Amino acid sequence: MGTTETQTTIPTGTWKSDPIHSDVGFAVRHVTGTFRGSFVDFDVVLTAGAAEPRLLGALRVESVQVRDENLNGHLLSPDFFDTERHPQITFESSALHADGDGIVVEGDLTLKDTTKAVEARGRITEPLVGLDGKERIGLDLETTVDRAEIGLDWNAPLPHGGMVLGDRVAITVHLELVKEE
């Protein structure tokens, strides 16, 4: 019996993120556990057609959400995101292609005037029509970046050795995109 290999396709059209059904999150080691947060105010557009597919995204840093109001303030301060001087984080793809049954997105992540080339991997779904009668696709991506390489280098030593935060930040993007008419 032979195996069937599936190949991911990138649906043509212009697709915009549905803010209710999409999420951008991050996770980083904190002492011995994992600290998680998310952003709730962002726009992402995927265009695919005759030209090379492109994925563009921008999020408002002040929309960061964590479970502690004081920590939220610290994240917005110059120690971390420095929201007053750098209100947005952006992403612009340089390449977007199928990879077997998945997808690879390469591009530039810009945060605090620092631009870093990143590669995210994940999956994209075939279009389905939602209850609103509009075509929708799902796009799930993950990548990991070094905090210091993107200008997030605050840390503090623990009393008996080690540091409060890990260096690697996992970024997860779960999008439901609606086709523009």
Side-chain angles (χ1 to χ4, degrees):
M1 204 184 253
T3 59
T4 303
E5 188 172 312
T6 59
Q7 181 69 33
T8 297
T9 59
I10 301 166
T12 60
T14 299
W15 305 84
K16 292 191 177 182
S17 55
D18 173 347
I20 303 301
H21 300 102
S22 300
D23 179 69
V24 174
F26 61 90
V28 63
R29 183 188 50 76
H30 178 268
V31 185
T32 62
T34 301
F35 173 78
R36 298 179 195 284
S38 63
F39 295 93
V40 297
D41 188 4
F42 54 88
D43 296 302
V44 178
V45 176
L46 170 66
T47 55
E52 177 76 23
R54 295 191 45 98
L55 184 68
L56 302 171
L59 63 81
R60 264 70 57 213
V61 177
E62 68 185 13
S63 75
V64 68
Q65 294 209 336
V66 295
R67 294 183 181 175
D68 181 286
E69 188 175 313
N70 291 328
L71 179 54
N72 196 73
H74 191 205
L75 290 174
L76 298 176
S77 78
D79 283 344
F80 284 96
F81 294 116
D82 195 3
T83 306
E84 192 169 305
R85 293 186 332 148
H86 308 284
Q88 285 195 3
I89 298 172
T90 61
F91 177 81
E92 182 173 348
S93 69
S94 56
L96 193 150
H97 60 273
D99 183 26
D101 64 351
I103 190 166
V104 176
V105 179
E106 299 170 37
D108 291 329
L109 176 68
T110 301
L111 185 146
K112 291 177 73 172
D113 289 336
T114 300
T115 299
K116 168 89 173 129
V118 298
E119 177 183 281
R121 294 183 167 270
R123 67 176 190 83
I124 190 167
T125 66
E126 293 294 320
L128 290 174
V129 176
L131 292 175
D132 58 2
K134 296 180 179 179
E135 277 190 281
R136 294 170 176 268
I137 58 174
L139 179 60
D140 294 317
L141 296 169
E142 294 183 7
T143 192
T144 303
V145 297
D146 184 308
R147 294 183 311 109
E149 291 178 359
I150 56 172
L152 299 176
D153 54 4
W154 181 91
N155 216 339
L158 294 169
H160 300 288
M163 301 300 282
V164 171
L165 296 175
D167 294 331
R168 308 294 290 164
V169 177
I171 300 170
T172 55
V173 178
H174 305 287
L175 300 171
E176 188 166 311
L177 299 151
V178 180
K179 189 171 191 177
E180 292 292 296
E181 299 180 21

Coordinates of all heavy atoms in Angstrom, one line a residue, residues 90-178:
T90 N 5.8 45.1 14.1 CA 5.3 44.7 12.7 C 6.1 43.5 12.2 O 7.1 43.1 12.7 CB 5.6 45.9 11.7 OG1 7.0 46.1 11.7 CG2 4.8 47.1 12.2
F91 N 5.4 42.9 11.2 CA 6.0 41.7 10.5 C 5.7 41.9 9.0 O 4.6 42.2 8.7 CB 5.4 40.4 11.0 CG 6.0 39.2 10.2 CD1 7.2 38.7 10.5 CD2 5.3 38.7 9.1 CE1 7.8 37.7 9.8 CE2 5.8 37.7 8.4 CZ 7.0 37.1 8.7
E92 N 6.7 41.6 8.2 CA 6.5 41.7 6.8 C 7.3 40.5 6.2 O 8.5 40.3 6.4 CB 7.1 43.0 6.2 CG 6.9 43.1 4.7 CD 7.3 44.4 4.1 OE1 7.5 45.4 4.9 OE2 7.4 44.5 2.9
S93 N 6.5 39.6 5.4 CA 7.1 38.4 4.9 C 8.0 38.8 3.7 O 7.8 39.7 3.0 CB 6.0 37.4 4.5 OG 5.3 37.9 3.4
S94 N 9.0 38.0 3.5 CA 9.9 38.0 2.4 C 9.7 36.8 1.5 O 10.0 36.8 0.3 CB 11.4 38.2 2.8 OG 11.7 37.1 3.6
A95 N 9.2 35.7 2.1 CA 8.9 34.5 1.4 C 7.8 33.7 2.1 O 7.8 33.7 3.4 CB 10.2 33.6 1.2
L96 N 6.9 33.1 1.4 CA 5.8 32.3 2.0 C 5.6 31.2 1.0 O 5.3 31.4 -0.1 CB 4.6 33.3 2.1 CG 3.5 32.8 2.9 CD1 2.8 34.0 3.5 CD2 2.5 32.0 2.2
H97 N 5.8 30.0 1.5 CA 5.7 28.8 0.6 C 5.2 27.6 1.4 O 5.4 27.4 2.6 CB 7.0 28.6 -0.1 CG 8.1 28.2 0.8 ND1 8.9 29.2 1.3 CD2 8.6 27.1 1.2 CE1 9.8 28.7 2.1 NE2 9.7 27.4 2.0
A98 N 4.6 26.7 0.6 CA 4.2 25.4 1.1 C 5.4 24.5 1.4 O 6.4 24.7 0.7 CB 3.2 24.7 0.1
D99 N 5.3 23.7 2.4 CA 6.3 22.8 2.8 C 5.7 21.5 3.1 O 5.3 21.3 4.3 CB 7.2 23.3 3.9 CG 8.4 22.4 4.3 OD1 8.8 21.7 3.4 OD2 8.8 22.5 5.4
G100 N 5.4 20.6 2.2 CA 4.7 19.4 2.4 C 3.3 19.7 2.8 O 2.6 20.4 2.1
D101 N 2.9 19.2 4.0 CA 1.5 19.5 4.4 C 1.5 20.8 5.4 O 0.5 21.0 6.0 CB 0.8 18.3 5.1 CG 1.6 17.9 6.4 OD1 2.7 18.4 6.7 OD2 1.0 17.1 7.1
G102 N 2.6 21.5 5.4 CA 2.6 22.7 6.2 C 3.0 24.0 5.4 O 3.0 23.9 4.1
I103 N 3.3 25.0 6.1 CA 3.7 26.3 5.4 C 4.9 26.9 6.2 O 5.0 26.7 7.4 CB 2.5 27.2 5.4 CG1 2.7 28.4 4.5 CG2 2.1 27.7 6.8 CD1 1.5 29.2 4.2
V104 N 5.7 27.6 5.4 CA 6.9 28.3 6.0 C 6.7 29.8 5.6 O 6.5 30.1 4.4 CB 8.2 27.7 5.4 CG1 9.4 28.5 6.0 CG2 8.3 26.3 5.8
V105 N 6.9 30.6 6.6 CA 6.8 32.1 6.3 C 8.1 32.6 6.8 O 8.5 32.5 8.0 CB 5.6 32.7 7.1 CG1 5.6 34.2 6.8 CG2 4.3 32.1 6.7
E106 N 8.9 33.3 5.9 CA 10.1 34.0 6.3 C 9.9 35.5 6.2 O 9.1 35.9 5.3 CB 11.2 33.6 5.3 CG 11.6 32.1 5.4 CD 12.5 31.7 4.2 OE1 13.4 32.5 3.9 OE2 12.3 30.6 3.7
G107 N 10.5 36.2 7.1 CA 10.3 37.7 7.0 C 11.0 38.4 8.1 O 11.8 37.9 8.8
D108 N 10.6 39.7 8.2 CA 11.3 40.6 9.1 C 10.3 41.0 10.2 O 9.2 41.5 10.0 CB 11.7 41.9 8.4 CG 12.9 41.6 7.5 OD1 13.7 40.7 7.8 OD2 13.0 42.3 6.5
L109 N 10.7 40.7 11.5 CA 10.0 41.2 12.7 C 10.6 42.4 13.2 O 11.9 42.4 13.4 CB 10.0 40.0 13.7 CG 9.4 40.3 15.1 CD1 7.9 40.4 14.9 CD2 9.7 39.2 16.1
T110 N 9.9 43.5 13.4 CA 10.4 44.8 13.8 C 9.8 45.1 15.1 O 8.6 45.2 15.2 CB 10.2 45.9 12.8 OG1 10.9 45.5 11.6 CG2 10.8 47.2 13.3
L111 N 10.6 45.3 16.1 CA 10.2 45.7 17.5 C 11.3 46.7 18.0 O 12.5 46.4 18.0 CB 10.2 44.4 18.3 CG 9.6 44.5 19.7 CD1 8.9 43.2 20.0 CD2 10.7 44.7 20.7
K112 N 10.8 47.8 18.6 CA 11.7 48.8 19.2 C 12.9 49.2 18.2 O 14.0 49.2 18.6 CB 12.3 48.2 20.5 CG 11.3 48.1 21.6 CD 11.9 47.6 22.9 CE 12.8 48.5 23.6 NZ 13.2 48.0 24.9
D113 N 12.6 49.5 17.0 CA 13.5 49.9 16.0 C 14.6 48.8 15.7 O 15.6 49.1 15.1 CB 14.3 51.2 16.4 CG 13.4 52.4 16.3 OD1 12.4 52.3 15.5 OD2 13.6 53.4 17.0
T114 N 14.3 47.6 16.1 CA 15.2 46.4 15.8 C 14.4 45.5 14.8 O 13.3 45.1 15.1 CB 15.6 45.7 17.1 OG1 16.3 46.6 17.9 CG2 16.5 44.5 16.7
T115 N 15.1 45.2 13.7 CA 14.5 44.3 12.7 C 15.3 43.0 12.7 O 16.5 43.0 12.6 CB 14.4 44.9 11.3 OG1 13.6 46.1 11.4 CG2 13.8 44.0 10.3
K116 N 14.6 41.9 12.8 CA 15.2 40.6 12.9 C 14.5 39.7 11.9 O 13.3 39.6 11.8 CB 15.0 40.0 14.3 CG 15.3 38.6 14.5 CD 16.8 38.4 14.9 CE 17.0 36.9 15.2 NZ 18.1 36.4 14.5
A117 N 15.3 39.0 11.1 CA 14.8 38.0 10.2 C 14.4 36.8 11.0 O 15.1 36.3 11.9 CB 15.9 37.6 9.2
V118 N 13.1 36.3 10.7 CA 12.6 35.1 11.4 C 12.0 34.2 10.4 O 11.6 34.6 9.3 CB 11.6 35.5 12.5 CG1 12.2 36.4 13.6 CG2 10.4 36.2 11.9
E119 N 11.9 32.9 10.8 CA 11.2 31.9 10.0 C 10.1 31.3 10.9 O 10.4 30.8 12.0 CB 12.2 30.9 9.6 CG 11.5 29.7 8.8 CD 12.4 28.6 8.4 OE1 13.1 28.9 7.4 OE2 12.5 27.6 9.0
A120 N 8.9 31.3 10.5 CA 7.8 30.7 11.2 C 7.3 29.5 10.4 O 7.3 29.5 9.2 CB 6.7 31.7 11.5
R121 N 6.9 28.5 11.1 CA 6.3 27.3 10.5 C 4.9 27.0 11.0 O 4.7 27.3 12.2 CB 7.2 26.1 10.7 CG 8.6 26.2 10.0 CD 9.4 25.0 10.2 NE 10.6 25.1 9.3 CZ 10.6 24.6 8.1 NH1 9.5 24.0 7.6 NH2 11.7 24.7 7.3
G122 N 4.1 26.4 10.2 CA 2.8 26.0 10.7 C 1.9 25.4 9.6 O 2.4 24.7 8.8
R123 N 0.7 25.8 9.7 CA -0.3 25.2 8.7 C -1.3 26.2 8.3 O -1.5 27.2 9.0 CB -1.0 24.0 9.3 CG -1.9 24.3 10.5 CD -2.7 23.1 11.0 NE -3.7 23.5 11.9 CZ -4.9 24.0 11.6 NH1 -5.3 24.1 10.3 NH2 -5.8 24.4 12.5
I124 N -1.9 26.0 7.1 CA -2.9 26.9 6.6 C -4.1 25.9 6.1 O -3.8 24.8 5.6 CB -2.4 27.8 5.5 CG1 -3.4 28.8 5.1 CG2 -2.0 26.9 4.3 CD1 -2.8 29.9 4.2
T125 N -5.3 26.3 6.4 CA -6.4 25.5 6.0 C -7.0 25.9 4.6 O -6.7 27.0 4.2 CB -7.6 25.6 7.0 OG1 -8.1 26.9 7.0 CG2 -7.1 25.3 8.4
E126 N -7.7 25.0 4.0 CA -8.4 25.3 2.8 C -9.6 26.2 3.2 O -10.1 26.2 4.3 CB -9.0 24.0 2.2 CG -7.9 23.1 1.7 CD -7.1 23.7 0.5 OE1 -7.8 24.3 -0.4 OE2 -5.9 23.5 0.4
P127 N -10.0 27.1 2.2 CA -11.1 28.0 2.5 C -12.4 27.2 2.8 O -12.7 26.2 2.2 CB -11.3 28.7 1.2 CG -10.0 28.6 0.5 CD -9.5 27.2 0.9
L128 N -13.2 27.8 3.8 CA -14.5 27.3 4.1 C -15.4 28.5 4.2 O -14.9 29.6 4.6 CB -14.5 26.6 5.5 CG -13.9 25.2 5.5 CD1 -13.8 24.7 6.9 CD2 -14.6 24.2 4.6
V129 N -16.7 28.4 4.0 CA -17.6 29.5 4.1 C -18.2 29.4 5.5 O -18.7 28.4 6.0 CB -18.7 29.4 3.0 CG1 -19.8 30.5 3.3 CG2 -18.2 29.5 1.6
G130 N -18.1 30.6 6.2 CA -18.6 30.7 7.6 C -20.1 31.0 7.6 O -20.7 31.1 6.6
L131 N -20.6 31.1 8.8 CA -22.0 31.3 9.0 C -22.4 32.7 8.4 O -23.6 32.9 8.1 CB -22.4 31.3 10.4 CG -22.3 29.9 11.1 CD1 -22.6 29.9 12.6 CD2 -23.3 28.9 10.4
D132 N -21.5 33.6 8.3 CA -21.7 34.9 7.7 C -21.7 34.9 6.2 O -21.9 36.0 5.5 CB -20.7 35.9 8.2 CG -19.3 35.6 7.9 OD1 -19.0 34.5 7.3 OD2 -18.4 36.3 8.4
G133 N -21.5 33.7 5.6 CA -21.5 33.6 4.1 C -20.1 34.0 3.5 O -20.0 34.0 2.3
K134 N -19.1 34.4 4.3 CA -17.8 34.8 3.8 C -16.8 33.6 3.9 O -16.8 32.8 4.8 CB -17.3 36.0 4.6 CG -18.1 37.2 4.4 CD -17.6 38.3 5.3 CE -18.5 39.6 5.1 NZ -18.0 40.7 5.9
E135 N -15.9 33.6 2.9 CA -14.9 32.6 2.9 C -13.9 32.9 3.9 O -13.5 34.0 4.2 CB -14.1 32.5 1.5 CG -14.8 31.7 0.5 CD -13.9 31.5 -0.8 OE1 -13.9 32.5 -1.5 OE2 -13.3 30.5 -0.9
R136 N -13.4 31.9 4.6 CA -12.4 32.0 5.7 C -11.3 30.9 5.6 O -11.6 29.8 5.1 CB -13.1 31.8 7.1 CG -14.1 33.0 7.3 CD -15.0 32.7 8.6 NE -15.8 33.8 8.8 CZ -15.5 34.8 9.6 NH1 -14.4 34.8 10.3 NH2 -16.3 35.8 9.8
I137 N -10.1 31.3 6.0 CA -9.0 30.3 6.1 C -8.4 30.4 7.5 O -8.5 31.5 8.1 CB -8.0 30.5 5.0 CG1 -7.4 31.9 5.1 CG2 -8.5 30.1 3.7 CD1 -6.2 32.1 4.1
G138 N -7.8 29.4 7.9 CA -7.0 29.4 9.2 C -5.6 29.4 8.9 O -5.1 28.7 8.0
L139 N -4.8 30.1 9.7 CA -3.3 30.2 9.6 C -2.8 30.1 11.0 O -3.0 31.0 11.8 CB -2.9 31.4 8.8 CG -1.4 31.6 8.7 CD1 -0.8 30.5 7.9 CD2 -1.1 33.0 8.0
D140 N -2.0 29.0 11.3 CA -1.4 28.9 12.6 C 0.1 28.8 12.3 O 0.6 28.0 11.5 CB -1.8 27.6 13.2 CG -3.3 27.6 13.6 OD1 -3.7 28.6 14.1 OD2 -3.9 26.5 13.4
L141 N 0.9 29.7 13.0 CA 2.3 29.8 12.9 C 3.0 29.8 14.2 O 2.5 30.4 15.2 CB 2.7 31.1 12.1 CG 2.2 31.2 10.7 CD1 2.4 32.6 10.1 CD2 2.9 30.1 9.8
E142 N 4.2 29.3 14.3 CA 5.0 29.3 15.5 C 6.5 29.7 15.1 O 7.0 29.2 14.1 CB 5.0 28.0 16.2 CG 3.7 27.6 16.8 CD 3.7 26.3 17.5 OE1 4.8 25.8 17.8 OE2 2.6 25.9 17.9
T143 N 7.1 30.4 16.0 CA 8.6 30.7 15.8 C 9.1 31.0 17.2 O 8.4 31.2 18.2 CB 8.8 31.9 14.9 OG1 10.2 31.9 14.6 CG2 8.4 33.2 15.5
T144 N 10.4 31.0 17.3 CA 11.1 31.3 18.6 C 12.2 32.3 18.3 O 12.9 32.2 17.3 CB 11.7 30.0 19.2 OG1 10.7 29.0 19.4 CG2 12.4 30.3 20.5
V145 N 12.3 33.3 19.1 CA 13.3 34.3 18.9 C 14.1 34.5 20.2 O 13.6 34.2 21.3 CB 12.7 35.7 18.5 CG1 12.0 35.6 17.1 CG2 11.7 36.2 19.5
D146 N 15.3 35.1 20.1 CA 16.1 35.4 21.3 C 15.7 36.9 21.7 O 15.7 37.8 20.9 CB 17.6 35.4 20.9 CG 18.5 35.7 22.1 OD1 18.3 36.7 22.8 OD2 19.4 34.9 22.3
R147 N 15.3 37.0 22.9 CA 14.8 38.3 23.4 C 15.8 39.5 23.2 O 15.4 40.6 22.7 CB 14.5 38.3 24.9 CG 13.4 37.5 25.3 CD 13.1 37.5 26.8 NE 14.3 37.4 27.7 CZ 14.8 38.4 28.4 NH1 14.3 39.6 28.4 NH2 15.8 38.1 29.2
A148 N 17.0 39.2 23.5 CA 18.0 40.3 23.4 C 18.2 40.7 21.9 O 18.5 41.9 21.7 CB 19.4 39.8 24.0
E149 N 18.0 39.8 21.0 CA 18.2 40.2 19.6 C 17.1 41.1 19.0 O 17.3 41.7 18.0 CB 18.3 38.9 18.7 CG 19.6 38.1 18.9 CD 19.6 36.8 18.1 OE1 18.6 36.5 17.4 OE2 20.6 36.1 18.3
I150 N 16.0 41.2 19.8 CA 14.9 42.1 19.4 C 14.7 43.2 20.4 O 13.6 43.8 20.4 CB 13.6 41.3 19.1 CG1 13.2 40.5 20.3 CG2 13.8 40.5 17.8 CD1 11.8 39.8 20.1
G151 N 15.7 43.5 21.2 CA 15.7 44.7 22.0 C 14.9 44.5 23.4 O 14.6 45.4 24.0
L152 N 14.7 43.2 23.8 CA 14.0 42.9 25.0 C 15.0 42.3 26.0 O 14.9 41.1 26.3 CB 12.8 42.0 24.8 CG 11.7 42.6 23.9 CD1 10.6 41.6 23.7 CD2 11.1 43.9 24.5
D153 N 15.9 43.0 26.5 CA 17.0 42.4 27.2 C 17.0 42.6 28.7 O 17.9 42.2 29.5 CB 18.4 42.9 26.7 CG 18.5 44.4 26.7 OD1 17.6 45.1 27.1 OD2 19.5 44.9 26.1
W154 N 15.8 43.1 29.3 CA 15.7 43.2 30.7 C 15.7 41.9 31.4 O 15.2 40.9 30.8 CB 14.4 43.9 31.1 CG 14.3 44.1 32.6 CD1 14.7 45.1 33.4 CD2 13.7 43.1 33.5 NE1 14.4 44.9 34.7 CE2 13.8 43.7 34.8 CE3 13.2 41.9 33.4 CZ2 13.4 43.0 35.9 CZ3 12.7 41.2 34.5 CH2 12.8 41.8 35.8
N155 N 16.4 41.7 32.5 CA 16.4 40.5 33.3 C 16.9 40.9 34.7 O 17.4 42.0 34.9 CB 17.4 39.5 32.6 CG 16.8 38.1 32.8 OD1 16.0 37.8 33.6 ND2 17.3 37.2 31.9
A156 N 16.8 39.9 35.6 CA 17.3 40.1 36.9 C 17.8 38.8 37.5 O 17.2 37.8 37.2 CB 16.1 40.7 37.8
P157 N 18.9 38.9 38.3 CA 19.4 37.7 38.8 C 18.5 37.2 40.0 O 17.9 37.9 40.7 CB 20.8 38.1 39.4 CG 20.7 39.6 39.6 CD 19.7 40.1 38.6
L158 N 18.5 35.9 40.1 CA 17.8 35.2 41.2 C 18.7 35.2 42.4 O 19.9 35.1 42.3 CB 17.3 33.8 40.8 CG 16.3 33.8 39.7 CD1 16.1 32.3 39.2 CD2 14.9 34.3 40.2
P159 N 18.2 35.2 43.6 CA 19.0 35.2 44.8 C 20.1 34.1 45.0 O 21.1 34.3 45.5 CB 18.0 35.1 46.0 CG 16.7 35.5 45.4 CD 16.8 35.2 44.0
H160 N 19.8 32.9 44.4 CA 20.7 31.8 44.6 C 21.3 31.3 43.2 O 21.6 30.2 43.0 CB 20.1 30.7 45.3 CG 19.6 31.1 46.7 ND1 20.5 31.3 47.7 CD2 18.4 31.3 47.2 CE1 19.9 31.6 48.8 NE2 18.6 31.7 48.5
G161 N 21.3 32.2 42.2 CA 21.9 31.9 40.9 C 20.8 31.8 39.9 O 19.6 31.5 40.2
G162 N 21.2 32.0 38.7 CA 20.2 32.0 37.6 C 19.6 33.3 37.3 O 19.8 34.3 38.1
M163 N 18.7 33.4 36.3 CA 18.1 34.6 36.0 C 16.6 34.4 36.0 O 16.1 33.3 35.8 CB 18.5 35.1 34.6 CG 20.0 35.3 34.4 SD 20.6 36.6 35.5 CE 20.1 38.1 34.6
V164 N 15.8 35.5 36.2 CA 14.4 35.5 36.2 C 13.8 35.0 34.9 O 12.9 34.1 34.9 CB 13.8 36.9 36.6 CG1 12.3 36.9 36.4 CG2 14.2 37.3 38.0
L165 N 14.3 35.5 33.8 CA 13.7 35.2 32.5 C 14.7 34.4 31.6 O 15.9 34.6 31.6 CB 13.3 36.5 31.7 CG 12.3 37.3 32.3 CD1 12.1 38.6 31.5 CD2 11.0 36.6 32.4
G166 N 14.1 33.5 30.8 CA 14.9 32.8 29.8 C 15.2 33.7 28.6 O 14.5 34.8 28.5
D167 N 16.0 33.3 27.7 CA 16.4 34.1 26.6 C 15.4 33.9 25.4 O 15.2 34.8 24.6 CB 17.8 33.7 26.1 CG 18.9 34.2 27.1 OD1 18.6 35.1 27.9 OD2 19.9 33.5 27.1
R168 N 14.9 32.7 25.3 CA 14.1 32.3 24.1 C 12.6 32.6 24.4 O 12.0 32.3 25.4 CB 14.2 30.8 23.8 CG 15.7 30.4 23.7 CD 16.4 31.0 22.5 NE 15.9 30.4 21.3 CZ 16.1 30.9 20.1 NH1 16.8 32.0 19.9 NH2 15.6 30.4 19.0
V169 N 12.0 33.3 23.4 CA 10.5 33.6 23.5 C 9.8 32.9 22.3 O 10.2 33.0 21.2 CB 10.3 35.1 23.3 CG1 8.8 35.4 23.3 CG2 11.0 35.9 24.5
A170 N 8.9 32.1 22.7 CA 8.0 31.4 21.7 C 6.9 32.3 21.3 O 6.2 32.9 22.1 CB 7.5 30.1 22.2
I171 N 6.7 32.5 20.0 CA 5.6 33.3 19.5 C 4.7 32.4 18.7 O 5.1 31.7 17.8 CB 6.2 34.4 18.5 CG1 7.2 35.3 19.3 CG2 5.0 35.3 17.9 CD1 7.9 36.3 18.4
T172 N 3.4 32.5 19.0 CA 2.4 31.7 18.4 C 1.3 32.7 17.8 O 0.9 33.6 18.4 CB 1.7 30.8 19.3 OG1 1.1 31.5 20.4 CG2 2.6 29.7 19.8
V173 N 1.0 32.4 16.5 CA 0.0 33.2 15.8 C -1.1 32.3 15.3 O -0.8 31.3 14.6 CB 0.6 34.0 14.7 CG1 -0.4 34.8 13.9 CG2 1.7 34.9 15.2
H174 N -2.3 32.5 15.8 CA -3.5 31.7 15.3 C -4.5 32.7 14.7 O -5.0 33.5 15.4 CB -4.2 31.0 16.5 CG -3.2 30.1 17.3 ND1 -2.7 29.0 16.8 CD2 -2.6 30.3 18.5 CE1 -1.9 28.4 17.7 NE2 -1.8 29.2 18.7
L175 N -4.6 32.6 13.4 CA -5.5 33.5 12.7 C -6.6 32.8 12.0 O -6.5 31.8 11.4 CB -4.6 34.2 11.6 CG -3.4 35.0 12.1 CD1 -2.6 35.5 10.9 CD2 -3.9 36.2 12.9
E176 N -7.8 33.5 12.0 CA -8.9 33.2 11.1 C -9.0 34.4 10.2 O -9.1 35.5 10.7 CB -10.2 33.0 11.9 CG -11.3 32.5 11.0 CD -12.5 32.0 11.8 OE1 -12.3 31.2 12.7 OE2 -13.6 32.4 11.4
L177 N -8.7 34.2 8.9 CA -8.7 35.2 7.9 C -9.9 35.2 7.1 O -10.3 34.1 6.6 CB -7.4 35.1 7.1 CG -6.1 35.2 7.9 CD1 -5.0 34.4 7.2 CD2 -5.7 36.6 8.1
V178 N -10.5 36.4 6.8 CA -11.7 36.5 6.0 C -11.3 37.1 4.6 O -10.6 38.1 4.6 CB -12.7 37.4 6.7 CG1 -14.0 37.5 5.9 CG2 -13.0 36.9 8.1

